[in-house]
Amino acid sequence: MPTPHVETVKIDELDCWRIRHNGAELMVAQQGAHIFSYQRAGEQPLIWPNPQAVFKQGKGIRTGVPVCWPWFGVFDRNPQSVKAMRQSEQPAGAHGFVRTALWELAASECEGDALRVDLVLPAGGFAGWPHQVDLKLSVLLDDQLHIHLTSHNRGTDTVTLSQALHTYFAVSDVRKVQVEGLDGLAYIDTADGWAVKNQSGLLHFTAETDRIYLDTPPQLAIVDNDWQRRIQLTAEGSTSTVIWNPWTERAKAFDDMADDGWTGMLCIETANVLDDVVSLAPGERHTLGVSITGIAL
């Protein structure tokens, strides 16, 4: 049963949970187990507060932490090992199907000074994807936000999947921030015909950005001098990272983002994509995770 820290609320068409603990407030939609707000008292939000976000049944929410699973991005761009898992001739939507599925609140309990909330999506039940893989999203709130997505293959066949925690971070102005931890890494520039390039120095933003970084280290950081803040990310179970900002023209095409909404957000997506996909033998588990904290400069 939920503890007093967890309150059920309704936002437009979606049932949601408001979770409060130790000066932090987290908002999660039942649809997609979608975290769409996280803020600590007296601080700027860490999750981009998109005022145009739509809370409708069957539509992904454009903010927060969409859960992309069991494939990431455009289905046909996934490795053949991932595509082979799907057994349907119907068109496959981007980012898989769990971001619009209804999850269950399985547990919420204190662990020392931390609060842990578990959301689960039972195996099976998705047309064209007949595999027995249980999915659990665990959120731990202490002085950071810890998110863990665990896949457990309960079937008799090996299952291969790609996935991401597609996090929209709040920034003062994306044109003024930079990302640390990428220097020297190879990346695929999907905004430039999927060309393979190499990062030199800090990552700055001057145009539409859609990059898949390979062999990324566990720690990355967004440095935001205007807000005097560093957002530190520590990944688990991932060596690939997607960094995205739609910039001017792409943003105008979205009906759930203001034309200038791109200035206040930056996606850094903890992922398992391309050669970093996950292959689960029968009985195996894999956990994709990220810990997020804001640190004053």
Side-chain angles (χ1 to χ4, degrees), residues 118-138:
D118 292 335
L119 304 172
V120 296
L121 188 69
F126 295 99
W129 207 84
H131 308 289
Q132 297 298 306
V133 182
D134 287 348
L135 200 56
K136 178 172 72 173
L137 187 80
S138 294

Side-chain angles (χ1 to χ4, degrees), residues 90-104:
Q90 299 299 315
H95 295 320
F97 44 72
V98 303
R99 63 185 183 142
T100 55
L102 293 180
W103 294 56
E104 300 171 3

Side-chain angles (χ1 to χ4, degrees), residues 120-194:
V120 296
L121 188 69
F126 295 99
W129 207 84
H131 308 289
Q132 297 298 306
V133 182
D134 287 348
L135 200 56
K136 178 172 72 173
L137 187 80
S138 294
V139 179
L140 191 72
L141 280 176
D142 48 24
D143 57 347
Q144 301 183 60
L145 171 62
H146 309 270
I147 309 168
H148 292 97
L149 181 68
T150 300
S151 304
H152 180 198
N153 184 4
R154 294 187 178 275
T156 57
D157 298 318
T158 296
V159 175
T160 304
L161 53 91
S162 62
Q163 57 184 346
L165 298 168
H166 189 311
T167 311
Y168 289 74
F169 289 99
V171 295
S172 61
D173 187 326
V174 72
R175 295 164 292 190
K176 299 180 181 180
V177 305
Q178 56 201 27
V179 178
E180 296 178 337
L182 301 168
D183 184 32
L185 297 183
Y187 67 90
I188 296 171
D189 191 343
T190 71
D192 187 20
W194 288 69

